[in-house]
Amino acid sequence: MAAVTMLAGCGAAPEEERAEFDVEVAKSSLSFTGVPIYDAGTRCTVGGSTMHCCPTGYAMIGAHLGSDVFKCARLSSTSGSRFLDVGTTRNGMHACPYGSVMVGLHVGNNHLACQSPGTSVVFETVDGSPGTSDTYPMHVCLAGGYAMSGINAGSNLFTCAR
């Protein structure tokens, strides 16, 4: 697994700032309830774009793009409506605005459906190719409360937020 830790902002932080940031990761309240599901058929229209989405209240935690199947986990809370993102770039890929997570994707149009998880996102990491996988098998974000917040489909890279 090739994972690169990315902090908010540019460049790496000095060692003492990293220690502080790790304390903040422990304070992240991004959490899920229940058992994750595999979804192959839910569609939604967000900002005029129709795409594959996780069911309402769920966030993407993995994707098998070749089969158009998402792994979705129920968020313990959400804030606001789903919204369309067509241009935010972070960590070298299309991403939801910082603090929100992916709930849907249209690969061909490079459109993301995003939503605030209703809790603080304090950490992001890039999960690279071949990436973390589950038994499906599909590329998934790391275990432990990570949701997808960005994707580079061509390079099989995810930004995973916690």
Side-chain angles (χ1 to χ4, degrees):
M1 174 179 89
V4 178
T5 302
M6 302 299 289
L7 303 175
C10 297
E15 193 62 38
E16 61 275 7
E17 286 182 23
R18 280 190 207 144
E20 271 183 278
F21 194 80
D22 290 341
V23 170
E24 290 301 312
V25 170
K27 293 179 184 177
S28 177
S29 54
L30 182 62
S31 63
F32 305 102
T33 61
V35 177
I37 62 169
Y38 293 97
D39 183 276
T42 303
R43 299 286 183 251
C44 67
T45 301
V46 179
S49 180
T50 300
M51 66 187 81
H52 183 180
C53 288
C54 287
T56 301
Y58 285 75
M60 293 176 65
I61 62 171
H64 189 290
L65 300 180
S67 299
D68 194 24
V69 176
F70 294 166
K71 188 168 188 178
C72 305
R74 181 180 288 281
L75 290 162
S76 59
S77 65
T78 59
S79 176
S81 301
R82 294 175 171 194
F83 59 93
L84 179 67
D85 188 276
V86 298
T88 302
T89 302
R90 191 171 57 261
N91 300 325
M93 66 189 81
H94 187 180
C96 290
Y98 189 77
S100 57
V101 296
M102 290 176 59
V103 297
L105 170 66
H106 189 298
V107 174
N109 291 344
N110 196 23
H111 288 176
L112 305 181
C114 305
Q115 186 166 20
S116 170
T119 57
S120 299
V121 170
V122 297
F123 178 79
E124 286 187 328
T125 187
V126 174
D127 192 274
S129 186
T132 306
S133 61
D134 67 4
T135 57
Y136 183 81
M138 78 167 49
H139 187 173
V140 295
C141 281
L142 304 163
Y146 286 88
M148 292 175 64
S149 59
I151 187 168
N152 180 325
S155 296
N156 193 28
L157 298 172
F158 293 171
T159 293
C160 300
R162 177 169 176 209

